[in-house]
């Protein structure tokens, strides 16, 4: 592996502003965080559908999907979880720089890792919106769409976030979405939180 000091960033012929102006779009990242079963992926998928239907290019970076390919080599130790977040943040930044709305939906349990994801975008001048899907663990365990809580309760799964592994809730997210909120309304709130990157209305 080449030392970082030996690497030189390759500058293309297009600036970000040129790309965005030509494509008629502005990139951004929406970061959905919350416990397993909180509804992150469901909400991100609905937002993606709404954005694309409105003519706004968007792509969902789901935690399980990313771990099935790019991050298949990572485990669930604290270090593995942090590296998972770091890689997704870097990929989201590339997508956003290209003019897409990147929708990252992963537990991302540590405040430090989410903070680094935000800082990475802010340093690059890319909009970053943190959405905390604040579903109580009792509700997540009741839903248990993947059967993970049941397996964790019997000891089949260890280091499960929210049970025997910590989850650090955001203290100052851009948006908090409660589990009681209807999906359609939650989507609207995410679009509102995007501000200037909000999906244009169709006529």
């Amino acid at each position: 592996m080449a030392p970082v000091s030996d690497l030189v960033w390759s500058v293309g012929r297009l600036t970000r502003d040129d790309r965005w102006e030509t494509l008629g779009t502005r990139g951004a990242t929406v970061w959905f965080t919350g416990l397993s079963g909180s509804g992150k992926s469901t909400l991100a998928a609905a937002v993606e559908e709404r954005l694309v239907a409105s003519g706004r290019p968007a792509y969902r970076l789901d935690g399980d999907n990313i771990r099935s390919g790019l991050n298949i080599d990572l485990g669930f130790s604290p270090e593995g979880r942090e590296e998972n977040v770091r890689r997704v943040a870097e990929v989201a930044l590339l997508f956003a720089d290209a003019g897409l709305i990147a929708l990252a939906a992963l537990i991302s349990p540590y405040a430090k890792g989410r903070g680094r994801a935000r800082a990475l975008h802010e340093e690059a001048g890319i909009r970053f919106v943190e959405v905390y899907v604040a579903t109580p663990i009792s509700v997540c365990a009741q839903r248990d769409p993947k059967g993970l809580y049941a397996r964790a309760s019997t000891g089949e799964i260890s280091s499960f976030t929210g049970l025997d592994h910590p989850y650090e809730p955001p203290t100052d997210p851009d948006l908090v979405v409660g589990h009681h909120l209807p999906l359609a309304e939650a989507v609207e709130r995410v679009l509102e939180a995007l501000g200037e990157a909000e999906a244009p209305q169709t006529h």
Side-chain angles (χ1 to χ4, degrees):
M1 181 181 296
V4 174
S5 59
D6 293 340
L7 303 178
V8 178
W9 186 266
S10 176
V11 179
R13 297 177 60 173
L14 277 176
T15 67
R16 179 190 299 159
D17 288 342
D18 290 337
R19 180 184 294 107
W20 287 6
E21 183 177 353
T22 300
L23 296 176
T25 188
R26 297 183 63 83
T29 289
V30 183
W31 194 278
F32 299 85
T33 179
L35 294 168
S36 177
S38 62
K40 301 180 302 299
S41 294
T42 298
L43 178 56
V47 171
E48 178 185 40
E49 182 179 34
R50 172 68 181 277
L51 286 166
V52 172
S54 300
R56 177 79 68 184
Y59 193 85
R60 182 171 53 94
L61 299 168
D62 182 80
D64 280 3
N65 294 356
I66 295 294
R67 278 186 174 274
S68 297
L70 176 65
N71 292 349
I72 197 171
D73 59 319
L74 298 178
F76 292 91
S77 66
E79 296 76 16
R81 294 172 192 269
E82 285 292 79
E83 177 61 11
N84 182 54
V85 168
R86 188 194 69 81
R87 292 185 192 178
V88 173
E90 292 283 359
V91 172
L93 180 64
L94 292 174
F95 278 31
D97 184 62
L100 283 76
I101 306 297
L103 305 166
L106 58 161
I107 294 173
S108 42
Y110 303 127
K112 184 177 180 181
R114 298 191 304 266
R116 282 198 296 260
R118 179 186 291 276
L120 183 71
H121 284 72
E122 291 179 346
E123 289 169 8
I126 299 283
R127 181 105 165 93
F128 183 91
V129 177
E130 183 181 48
V131 178
Y132 175 32
V133 185
T135 305
I137 191 168
S138 58
V139 176
C140 294
Q142 183 178 13
R143 292 175 175 175
D144 203 11
K146 303 173 186 176
L148 299 178
Y149 286 91
R151 293 170 62 194
S153 67
T154 64
E156 184 180 347
I157 299 176
S158 60
S159 299
F160 190 76
T161 303
L163 295 181
D164 55 355
H165 190 96
Y167 176 77
E168 300 170 358
T171 56
D172 190 27
D174 297 285
L175 177 65
V176 177
V177 175
H179 70 284
H180 60 282
L181 201 65
L183 181 59
E185 186 174 345
V187 169
E188 292 298 332
R189 293 196 184 182
V190 172
L191 296 180
E192 290 172 4
L194 271 167
E196 64 178 6
E198 184 177 357
Q201 296 297 314
T202 56
H203 299 284

